[in-house]
Amino acid sequence: MVEAKIGTDIAYAATLLQQGEVVAIPTETVYGLAGNALDTHSIEKIYIAKQRPLFNPLILHTHSIAAIQQFAQISDATIAIAQHFMPGALTLLLPKKAIVPDLLTAGSSKVAVRIPNHPVTLALLKQLSFPLAAPSANPFGYISPVTAAHVLKGLQYQIPYILDGGPCSVGVESTIIEVLPQVVMIHRVGGIAVEAIQAVTNLPVQVVKKHTAQQVHTPGQLKSHYAPHTPLYVGDIHQLYEQYGKGKRVAVIALRQMYTQPNITNFTLAPDGDIATAAAHLFEVMHTIDNGHFDVILAESFPEIGLGLAINDRLHRAQVQWK
Ligand code: TXA
Ligand code: MG
């Protein structure tokens, strides 16, 4: 295949998608690898381009809550929560309607649905007569892309076009929720904080903890995700440095503290300590470090408030293959 082009032509992206091609699209969370969500050939192309296992279902992206109702059953309680966050970094897990291909949901009776809050992609979705399937636009298992250049590096010869919408403002993937009669389940922590969801519902909000291999409900919960090529360890930087950092070229990911050992390069995510700012910079920094000359990455454990949960979740998944 020829090399992917990067551009800002929404009409061209729409034409490619109408022809059954896959196109990278910007969202406020991370870049997505989009294809016609109602067309199995387009969906197959997404799985192939990403080298993604077929048991890992894709999120359906559309432009309005009214449009969601064409594809899924949505309860009043779900709509009440959705209205606070959509468009935005929230994905709803809903009972699917027959129009949604089984390949999109990997055979599940539920479909994940989201309305991205990015003007370019909202304009694109409104031009199309079909919704878009879009996983993050990275090769399977690697860090999600938050710029068009990251997409190009990962999928250079797999796709024809990357629609450039600038750097992603939220910077971590959407929060996936399922509103059940007695509880709101959070299947993946992400760009909407758990506290923000709890603030708009009287139901208890419960974060689904790690699954064993047999019980994977949301394969994004598989631990070996979002991993850079450079070994990464999370925890107390001084302890980790003693164990893994001496004599090595060390990159440190921290909220705002600077570490002074001579072989450490500091990557502070938010000098003012703001956790949402830190989340917005996390993947950008991980890409930068991975493209540099480092032997090891040491990351702080972030405060478990707001988007700190999503940051720690992604860091722990990145660490898993090295521990
Ligand atoms: O922010 C986001 O959600 C980004 C942007 C591009 O929208 N997309 C994204 O997609 O992160 P992906 O495919 O990288 O992660 C989607 C997660 C996966 O863990 C997948 O297993 C889960 O959503 N998922 C999708 N459909 C599902 C379903 N029917 N049931 C359970 N989990 C589902
Ligand atoms: Mg992904």
Side-chain angles (χ1 to χ4, degrees), residues 183-201:
V183 62
V184 178
M185 302 293 282
I186 303 210
H187 290 283
R188 177 176 71 182
V189 291
I192 301 285
V194 175
E195 298 92 322
I197 295 165
Q198 186 66 82
V200 302
T201 178

Side-chain angles (χ1 to χ4, degrees), residues 30-31 50 52 56 135-145 173 188 220 225-226:
V30 301
Y31 273 72
K50 261 190 82 102
R52 177 173 171 125
N56 195 348
S136 51
N138 50 290
F140 181 69
Y142 195 59
I143 314 160
S144 294
E173 299 86 349
R188 177 176 71 182
H225 257 63
Y226 315 102

Side-chain angles (χ1 to χ4, degrees), residues 25 27-33 50 52 55-61 89 91 93-94 104-106 108-114 116 134-138 144 172-176 187-188 216-222 225-226 317:
I25 56 165
T27 85
E28 81 281 28
T29 58
V30 301
Y31 273 72
L33 181 57
K50 261 190 82 102
R52 177 173 171 125
F55 64 75
N56 195 348
L58 308 180
I59 298 175
L60 180 148
H61 294 63
T91 293
L93 199 54
L94 300 168
L104 185 93
T105 65
S108 170
S109 60
K110 293 174 191 165
V111 61
V113 181
R114 145 165 155 77
S136 51
N138 50 290
S144 294
V172 289
E173 299 86 349
S174 60
T175 300
I176 303 178
H187 290 283
R188 177 176 71 182
V216 174
H217 299 299
T218 301
Q221 295 283 46
L222 287 173
H225 257 63
Y226 315 102
R317 288 169 201 237

Side-chain angles (χ1 to χ4, degrees), residues 17-18 21 25 33-40 42-43 46 59-64 67-72 99-101 104 111-116 121 124-134:
L17 291 162
Q18 280 152 356
E21 287 298 334
I25 56 165
L33 181 57
N36 181 344
L38 304 183
D39 172 41
T40 50
S42 302
I43 299 169
I46 296 173
I59 298 175
L60 180 148
H61 294 63
T62 187
H63 53 75
S64 63
I68 289 176
Q69 294 175 328
Q70 297 171 42
F71 311 113
I99 185 177
V100 175
L104 185 93
V111 61
V113 181
R114 145 165 155 77
I115 306 172
T121 290
L124 174 66
L125 285 164
K126 284 175 190 161
Q127 280 186 27
L128 295 170
S129 60
F130 48 82
L132 292 174

